[in-house]
């Protein structure tokens, strides 16, 4: 596709988004046929034989390998939610449901997972913080219940063979749900993402990628203002919503950082009274700073591998490139491990080989030695993350 055709195609995609996002919904959750055999108490009626029911996203269900849920002290809270405050409770309750009833062997990580009690305390503060944020007029104005494609990437967009600027189908809707519009503020499809390859040889592709990014932003601003408004909002007002339900999976450090930042900027952001989260002591901030640097190092490593392997953040690789990608991944791992052993080229000179193995984003042994499952629809293979 030429650059001009890509931009025209992006406009066509945006017009599809416009139609979807314009639908008004009375609640947050997922879309169902109205005759679905579930309790009527968890169905919010819509017109034309549909209803809003429990959220179908995996974050609210005990269905991901290695991500157990424990409902001994907290009940499942999957919606539907009739208002933003109830949606906030759903996020925090989901975070709490990931905490085991007693401490167990924690996942290997270069940053501390800390105790269940620490996570519980952090999430209790988090509940108060996101409730306060949900009362802010700027957040409420970008919180309309909105349906959007949860995986709007190249592999799920079909175009005409005769004219690639004509979108013929969008597939893979199973995880799409009705969220506050601001939930999609950080969603950037791969066709509008900036290039991660900054080499001189890749400069023409970088320019094209930047044009596509600007075209997508302009289309959203003109065609889908409710999504564009969320993207224009200060990120500090939104990030606590994104991380609060993931503390056990990612480690408490990421969510603590968001709470520290929002607390430090509370007055600057024009929020009333004081932040419900008290800032840590100076000694606690020093410890947190070290842990957060480890967290960022792991993220930087993953971004570099995504660029090197030309894969998605969740590890999808086109099936025809699987063997070549697997080989490049092995070479990258061996090279960095050797560098760590030699203590010559590392982000952190105190990093050990064990630290690197813990923060490596793709499962090395299974990735290299086992045949991965196939995604029949997309004809892709996925690296374990």
């Amino acid at each position: 596709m030429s650059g001009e055709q890509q931009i025209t195609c992006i406009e066509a995609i945006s017009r599809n988004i416009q139609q979807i996002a314009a639908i008004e919904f009375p609640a947050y959750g997922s879309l169902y046929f109205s005759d679905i055999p579930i309790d009527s108490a968890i169905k919010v009626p819509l017109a034309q034989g549909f209803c809003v029911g429990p959220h179908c996203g995996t974050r609210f269900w005990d269905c991901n390998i290695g991500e157990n849920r424990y409902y001994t002290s907290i009940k499942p809270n999957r919606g539907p939610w009739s208002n933003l405050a109830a949606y906030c409770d759903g996020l925090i309750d989901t975070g709490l449901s990931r905490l085991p009833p007693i401490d167990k062997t924690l996942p290997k990580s270069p940053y501390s997972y800390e105790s269940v009690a620490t996570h519980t305390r952090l999430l209790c503060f988090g509940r108060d913080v996101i409730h306060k944020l949900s009362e802010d007029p700027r957040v409420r104005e970008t919180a309309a219940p909105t349906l959007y494609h949860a995986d709007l990437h190249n592999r799920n967009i079909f175009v005409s063979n005769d004219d690639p600027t004509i979108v013929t189908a969008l597939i893979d809707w199973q995880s799409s749900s009705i969220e506050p519009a601001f939930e999609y503020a950080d969603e950037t499809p791969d066709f509008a993402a900036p290039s991660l390859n900054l080499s001189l040889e890749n400069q023409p592709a970088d320019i094209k990628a930047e044009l596509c990014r600007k075209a997508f932003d302009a289309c959203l601003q003109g065609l889908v203002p409710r999504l564009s408004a969320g993207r224009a909002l200060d990120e500090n007002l939104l990030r606590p919503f994104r991380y609060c339900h993931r503390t056990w999976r990612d480690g408490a450090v990421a969510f603590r950082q968001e709470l520290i930042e929002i607390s430090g900027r509370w007055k600057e952001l024009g929020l009333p009274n004081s932040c419900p989260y008290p800032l840590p002591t100076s000694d606690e901030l020093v410890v947190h700073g070290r842990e957060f640097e480890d967290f960022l190092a792991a993220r930087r490593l993953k971004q570099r591998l995504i660029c090197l392997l030309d894969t998605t953040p969740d590890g999808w690789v086109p099936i025809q490139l699987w063997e070549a990608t697997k080989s490049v991944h092995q070479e990258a791992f061996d090279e960095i491990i050797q560098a760590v052993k030699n203590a010559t080229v590392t982000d952190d000179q105190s990093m050990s080989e064990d630290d690197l193995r813990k923060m490596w984003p793709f499962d090395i042994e299974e990735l290299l030695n086992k045949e991965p499952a196939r995604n029949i629809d997309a004809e892709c293979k996925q690296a374990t993350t």
Side-chain angles (χ1 to χ4, degrees):
M1 237 192 273
S2 67
E4 183 178 352
Q5 286 176 319
Q6 280 185 299
I7 291 172
T8 303
C9 187
I10 287 172
E11 181 183 358
I13 295 167
S14 300
R15 292 193 180 280
N16 278 277
I17 298 172
Q18 180 187 32
Q19 296 179 52
I20 300 164
I23 303 172
E24 299 291 336
F25 293 98
Y28 307 105
S30 289
L31 191 61
Y32 295 82
F33 289 114
S34 57
D35 60 355
I36 186 172
I38 60 175
D39 189 345
S40 60
I42 54 175
K43 293 197 291 188
V44 179
L46 291 174
Q48 301 178 341
F50 293 95
C51 70
V52 179
H55 198 295
C56 67
T58 56
R59 80 172 76 156
F60 296 102
W61 295 84
D62 187 10
C63 59
N64 285 345
I65 296 174
E67 293 187 19
N68 295 330
R69 303 303 172 94
Y70 307 90
Y71 298 116
T72 52
S73 60
I74 191 80
K75 293 182 179 180
N77 187 349
R78 301 170 180 139
W81 305 282
S82 60
N83 56 63
L84 187 56
Y87 177 84
C88 291
D89 284 332
L91 294 177
I92 295 295
D93 290 346
T94 294
L96 291 170
S97 73
R98 287 177 164 164
L99 308 183
I102 57 174
D103 285 353
K104 64 172 187 176
T105 301
L106 301 180
K108 291 182 179 179
S109 170
Y111 37 87
S112 171
Y113 268 71
E114 305 182 52
S115 67
V116 170
T118 297
H119 281 263
T120 301
R121 179 174 176 272
L122 201 61
L123 285 167
C124 287
F125 280 123
R127 190 189 299 271
D128 292 339
V129 169
I130 65 173
H131 269 294
K132 286 288 187 183
L133 293 176
S134 71
E135 296 170 0
D136 185 85
R138 294 164 293 181
V139 174
R140 299 188 73 83
E141 287 171 6
T142 61
T146 304
L147 180 65
Y148 187 74
H149 195 295
D151 193 14
L152 192 65
H153 296 298
N154 282 324
R155 64 177 179 267
N156 294 326
I157 301 169
F158 284 72
V159 297
S160 168
N161 286 328
D162 299 323
D163 184 352
T165 67
I166 298 175
V167 176
T168 57
L170 302 177
I171 66 168
D172 201 13
W173 287 88
Q174 68 269 19
S175 297
S176 299
S177 53
I178 303 161
E179 309 271 4
F182 65 69
E183 179 73 14
Y184 308 114
D186 67 334
E187 294 286 337
T188 300
D190 54 7
F191 59 78
S195 174
L196 295 177
N197 189 341
L198 302 180
S199 65
L200 293 176
E201 294 81 1
N202 202 51
Q203 197 169 38
D206 293 342
I207 294 172
K208 183 183 287 188
E210 179 64 12
L211 288 174
C212 289
R213 184 192 66 79
K214 290 181 177 179
F216 184 67
D217 285 345
C219 286
L220 284 189
Q221 187 172 354
L223 300 174
V224 199
R226 70 164 56 172
L227 293 183
S228 180
R231 293 164 75 90
L233 207 58
D234 191 298
E235 280 285 291
N236 279 120
L237 295 172
L238 301 180
R239 283 201 295 261
F241 294 93
R242 296 178 192 148
Y243 287 101
C244 62
H245 59 90
R246 295 162 41 178
T247 67
W248 191 253
R249 188 185 73 181
D250 295 346
V253 63
F255 188 48
R256 182 183 292 111
Q257 178 67 20
E258 299 307 330
L259 294 181
I260 289 172
E261 289 189 15
I262 193 71
S263 182
R265 295 191 61 204
W266 195 263
K267 293 296 184 183
E268 177 191 341
L269 290 168
L271 296 164
N273 303 319
S274 59
C275 180
Y277 178 71
L279 284 172
T281 66
S282 56
D283 289 342
E284 290 170 337
L285 284 173
V286 170
V287 174
H288 167 78
R290 289 197 296 264
E291 293 176 352
F292 189 61
E293 279 302 313
D294 289 339
F295 175 79
L296 292 179
R299 288 185 60 180
R300 288 193 295 267
L301 174 63
K302 184 170 184 177
Q303 283 299 112
R304 291 171 185 172
L305 284 173
I306 288 171
C307 178
L308 176 67
L309 303 176
D310 195 20
T311 184
T312 62
D314 52 359
W316 286 99
V317 177
I319 194 170
Q320 66 273 19
L321 300 178
W322 173 253
E323 292 300 330
T325 302
K326 189 167 64 171
S327 176
V328 173
H329 176 261
Q330 174 73 76
E331 291 173 7
F333 178 75
D334 291 344
E335 181 179 335
I336 297 176
I337 280 288
Q338 189 60 49
V340 169
K341 288 179 178 178
N342 295 337
T344 55
V345 186
T346 62
D347 287 329
D348 181 351
Q349 293 298 318
S350 65
M351 181 186 296
S352 68
E353 181 179 344
D354 189 51
D355 287 337
L356 180 63
R357 287 182 180 275
K358 289 175 183 176
M359 73 163 58
W360 198 264
F362 303 115
D363 189 278
I364 301 157
E365 284 74 22
E366 290 196 13
L367 176 67
L368 299 175
N369 299 325
K370 294 184 180 179
E371 185 72 7
R374 292 186 60 176
N375 179 316
I376 302 300
D377 291 335
E379 291 191 350
C380 290
K381 292 183 178 180
Q382 185 184 30
T384 305
T385 58

